[in-house]
Amino acid sequence: MSACLEAVEARLRDSGCQYEVLEHQPVPTTQEAAGADRVSGYAFAKAVMLIADGQPQLHVLRAADTVDLESARAVQGARDVRLARESEFMHLFPGCEGAPPPIPLTRDHLAVRVDRRLQDSERITFEVGDGRHSVRMRISDYLRLVPHQVADFAETPAGGRRRPQSRPFEWGAWAGRGALAAGGVFTLLMGRRLMGQLLPNRTSRSLAIGAAAGAVAAALADPQSGARRRHLLWDRTGALVRRLTARSQQKGRYWGGRVQGIRHNVRRVMPEG
């Protein structure tokens, strides 16, 4: 266990907060940490250190968002606001090597500002500063633990999320995906056949579909983890819509070019007048 994780857990235990420690492979960015923990970037918190008029300040926002320096400057009424260098704030987080946790670990006075949109989630997950562990807890417990000021200083990048970094082609990963897809198709076909035998009439099928829809609605409305499920569903639905839109636009440009080429060839072959 890292010294940073021990310090964070000590703060949480002393305050009586309930929390869960997650472990994952070392990752370089907060967005990748959210993916490793299977958490939406809108329910994963990250800490960004700013220097406002020479004073370090801790800003906590969603991993999917970025700090708007102009908004941060307006909120604080400061003349100069910039991103802090590691050498300017790591002494405030002893034992931490990576991104600082969103919890002050020393007795030094450190101003903490929490972006308003982070409060939309019932639970938040955040890195603890060693690149390998994250902590999940209730947002209400976090806001009670850390003296803070709620403000609007974040913005969501265009498109809703950043473009993922390209990775080398891996045959093993694609083979696993192909096997998973084949298993899904087989399960769908067999399930449809079994459904036709077990539910031969329209009334029974309607009741089964209604029960399944009710179960999905109950899962999304669950106060414990419903917010995370809704964020994940919203993220994946939005990504699917964007992919389909880009695909349709690409196809439209392709067929438009084909039609123009055909017209050009017809004009060359057909005599004028």
Short mmCIF file of all heavy atoms in Angstrom, two decimals, residues 2 4 9 29 33 44 72 84 97 110 116 151 166 182-183 189 192-193 195 209 223 236 238 258 266:
data_model
loop_
_atom_site.label_atom_id
_atom_site.label_comp_id
_atom_site.label_asym_id
_atom_site.label_seq_id
_atom_site.Cartn_x
_atom_site.Cartn_y
_atom_site.Cartn_z
N SER A 2 0.55 2.20 -0.84
CA SER A 2 1.35 3.41 -0.96
C SER A 2 1.09 4.35 0.21
O SER A 2 0.05 4.29 0.87
CB SER A 2 1.03 4.12 -2.28
OG SER A 2 -0.31 4.58 -2.28
N CYS A 4 0.54 7.49 -0.02
CA CYS A 4 -0.57 8.40 -0.36
C CYS A 4 -1.91 7.76 -0.05
O CYS A 4 -2.81 8.40 0.51
CB CYS A 4 -0.48 8.79 -1.83
SG CYS A 4 -1.53 10.18 -2.29
N GLU A 9 -6.82 7.17 3.30
CA GLU A 9 -7.67 6.29 4.11
C GLU A 9 -7.72 6.78 5.56
O GLU A 9 -8.78 6.67 6.21
CB GLU A 9 -7.15 4.86 4.04
CG GLU A 9 -7.46 4.16 2.74
CD GLU A 9 -7.30 2.65 2.85
OE1 GLU A 9 -6.15 2.18 2.73
OE2 GLU A 9 -8.30 1.96 3.06
N THR A 29 -3.37 8.75 -17.33
CA THR A 29 -4.34 9.84 -17.29
C THR A 29 -5.54 9.46 -16.44
O THR A 29 -5.82 8.28 -16.20
CB THR A 29 -4.82 10.19 -18.71
OG1 THR A 29 -5.55 9.08 -19.25
CG2 THR A 29 -3.64 10.52 -19.61
N ALA A 33 -7.89 6.04 -16.04
CA ALA A 33 -8.19 5.47 -14.73
C ALA A 33 -9.69 5.22 -14.58
O ALA A 33 -10.11 4.20 -14.03
CB ALA A 33 -7.69 6.40 -13.63
N PHE A 44 -16.41 10.39 -12.35
CA PHE A 44 -15.04 10.24 -11.85
C PHE A 44 -14.47 11.64 -11.62
O PHE A 44 -14.53 12.49 -12.52
CB PHE A 44 -14.19 9.49 -12.87
CG PHE A 44 -12.94 8.88 -12.29
CD1 PHE A 44 -12.92 7.55 -11.91
CD2 PHE A 44 -11.79 9.63 -12.14
CE1 PHE A 44 -11.77 6.98 -11.40
CE2 PHE A 44 -10.64 9.08 -11.63
CZ PHE A 44 -10.62 7.75 -11.25
N ALA A 72 -12.35 30.36 -13.84
CA ALA A 72 -11.72 30.25 -12.52
C ALA A 72 -11.23 31.60 -12.02
O ALA A 72 -11.36 31.93 -10.83
CB ALA A 72 -10.57 29.25 -12.58
N ALA A 84 -0.63 24.91 -12.10
CA ALA A 84 0.55 24.81 -11.23
C ALA A 84 1.50 23.73 -11.74
O ALA A 84 1.09 22.75 -12.36
CB ALA A 84 0.12 24.50 -9.80
N GLU A 97 2.73 10.40 -5.90
CA GLU A 97 3.63 10.44 -7.03
C GLU A 97 2.94 10.94 -8.30
O GLU A 97 3.56 11.61 -9.11
CB GLU A 97 4.23 9.06 -7.29
CG GLU A 97 5.00 8.50 -6.10
CD GLU A 97 5.45 7.09 -6.34
OE1 GLU A 97 5.10 6.53 -7.41
OE2 GLU A 97 6.13 6.52 -5.47
N LEU A 110 -5.38 25.06 2.40
CA LEU A 110 -5.46 24.89 0.95
C LEU A 110 -6.90 25.12 0.52
O LEU A 110 -7.79 24.36 0.93
CB LEU A 110 -4.99 23.50 0.54
CG LEU A 110 -5.00 23.19 -0.96
CD1 LEU A 110 -4.04 24.11 -1.70
CD2 LEU A 110 -4.63 21.73 -1.22
N ARG A 116 -19.70 22.70 -9.85
CA ARG A 116 -21.09 22.44 -9.51
C ARG A 116 -21.61 21.15 -10.16
O ARG A 116 -22.42 20.43 -9.58
CB ARG A 116 -21.95 23.63 -9.94
CG ARG A 116 -23.35 23.65 -9.35
CD ARG A 116 -24.10 24.89 -9.79
NE ARG A 116 -23.33 26.10 -9.50
CZ ARG A 116 -23.32 26.69 -8.32
NH1 ARG A 116 -24.03 26.19 -7.32
NH2 ARG A 116 -22.59 27.79 -8.12
N ALA A 151 -18.49 26.16 -7.23
CA ALA A 151 -18.39 27.21 -8.25
C ALA A 151 -18.50 26.58 -9.62
O ALA A 151 -18.48 25.35 -9.78
CB ALA A 151 -17.08 27.98 -8.11
N SER A 166 -4.48 6.29 -30.08
CA SER A 166 -4.43 5.10 -30.93
C SER A 166 -3.57 4.04 -30.26
O SER A 166 -2.54 4.32 -29.65
CB SER A 166 -3.87 5.45 -32.30
OG SER A 166 -2.56 5.99 -32.17
N ALA A 182 -19.85 -13.72 -31.71
CA ALA A 182 -20.47 -14.97 -32.15
C ALA A 182 -21.33 -15.57 -31.05
O ALA A 182 -22.44 -16.06 -31.31
CB ALA A 182 -19.37 -15.96 -32.56
N GLY A 183 -20.85 -15.52 -29.81
CA GLY A 183 -21.66 -16.01 -28.70
C GLY A 183 -22.93 -15.20 -28.51
O GLY A 183 -24.00 -15.75 -28.21
N LEU A 189 -30.23 -15.95 -31.19
CA LEU A 189 -31.03 -16.88 -31.99
C LEU A 189 -31.70 -17.94 -31.14
O LEU A 189 -32.89 -18.24 -31.30
CB LEU A 189 -30.14 -17.53 -33.05
CG LEU A 189 -29.56 -16.58 -34.12
CD1 LEU A 189 -28.64 -17.34 -35.06
CD2 LEU A 189 -30.68 -15.90 -34.90
N ARG A 192 -34.45 -16.39 -29.02
CA ARG A 192 -35.68 -16.12 -29.79
C ARG A 192 -36.47 -17.40 -30.01
O ARG A 192 -37.71 -17.41 -29.90
CB ARG A 192 -35.29 -15.50 -31.12
CG ARG A 192 -36.48 -15.11 -31.98
CD ARG A 192 -36.02 -14.43 -33.25
NE ARG A 192 -37.17 -14.09 -34.07
CZ ARG A 192 -37.06 -13.50 -35.25
NH1 ARG A 192 -35.86 -13.21 -35.74
NH2 ARG A 192 -38.15 -13.22 -35.95
N ARG A 193 -35.76 -18.48 -30.31
CA ARG A 193 -36.46 -19.76 -30.50
C ARG A 193 -37.10 -20.24 -29.21
O ARG A 193 -38.26 -20.70 -29.20
CB ARG A 193 -35.46 -20.79 -31.02
CG ARG A 193 -36.08 -22.14 -31.36
CD ARG A 193 -35.04 -23.04 -31.98
NE ARG A 193 -35.63 -24.34 -32.31
CZ ARG A 193 -34.95 -25.35 -32.86
NH1 ARG A 193 -33.66 -25.18 -33.15
NH2 ARG A 193 -35.54 -26.49 -33.12
N MET A 195 -37.98 -18.35 -26.69
CA MET A 195 -39.08 -17.44 -26.37
C MET A 195 -40.34 -17.80 -27.14
O MET A 195 -41.46 -17.73 -26.62
CB MET A 195 -38.67 -16.00 -26.68
CG MET A 195 -39.69 -14.95 -26.28
SD MET A 195 -39.83 -14.76 -24.49
CE MET A 195 -38.24 -14.04 -24.11
N ILE A 209 -42.00 -8.56 -21.93
CA ILE A 209 -41.29 -7.33 -22.29
C ILE A 209 -41.53 -6.24 -21.26
O ILE A 209 -40.62 -5.49 -20.89
CB ILE A 209 -41.73 -6.89 -23.70
CG1 ILE A 209 -41.27 -7.90 -24.75
CG2 ILE A 209 -41.18 -5.51 -24.02
CD1 ILE A 209 -41.78 -7.61 -26.13
N PRO A 223 -30.94 4.09 -6.02
CA PRO A 223 -30.19 5.21 -5.42
C PRO A 223 -28.73 4.88 -5.16
O PRO A 223 -27.91 5.79 -5.02
CB PRO A 223 -30.94 5.47 -4.10
CG PRO A 223 -31.65 4.19 -3.80
CD PRO A 223 -32.00 3.59 -5.13
N ARG A 236 -22.57 5.89 -23.66
CA ARG A 236 -22.49 4.91 -24.75
C ARG A 236 -23.52 5.19 -25.83
O ARG A 236 -23.24 4.99 -27.02
CB ARG A 236 -22.67 3.51 -24.18
CG ARG A 236 -21.48 3.10 -23.30
CD ARG A 236 -21.72 1.80 -22.59
NE ARG A 236 -20.58 1.46 -21.74
CZ ARG A 236 -20.55 0.42 -20.93
NH1 ARG A 236 -21.59 -0.39 -20.85
NH2 ARG A 236 -19.47 0.17 -20.19
N GLY A 238 -24.68 8.20 -26.62
CA GLY A 238 -24.16 9.34 -27.36
C GLY A 238 -23.03 8.95 -28.30
O GLY A 238 -22.96 9.43 -29.43
N ARG A 258 -19.83 9.40 -56.27
CA ARG A 258 -20.13 8.42 -57.32
C ARG A 258 -21.12 8.99 -58.32
O ARG A 258 -20.97 8.82 -59.54
CB ARG A 258 -20.68 7.14 -56.69
CG ARG A 258 -19.67 6.33 -55.92
CD ARG A 258 -18.63 5.71 -56.85
NE ARG A 258 -19.22 4.85 -57.83
CZ ARG A 258 -19.45 3.55 -57.65
NH1 ARG A 258 -19.11 2.98 -56.48
NH2 ARG A 258 -19.98 2.82 -58.59
N VAL A 266 -21.39 10.44 -68.36
CA VAL A 266 -22.52 10.52 -69.29
C VAL A 266 -22.37 11.74 -70.21
O VAL A 266 -22.62 11.68 -71.41
CB VAL A 266 -23.85 10.56 -68.52
CG1 VAL A 266 -25.00 10.92 -69.45
CG2 VAL A 266 -24.10 9.21 -67.86
#
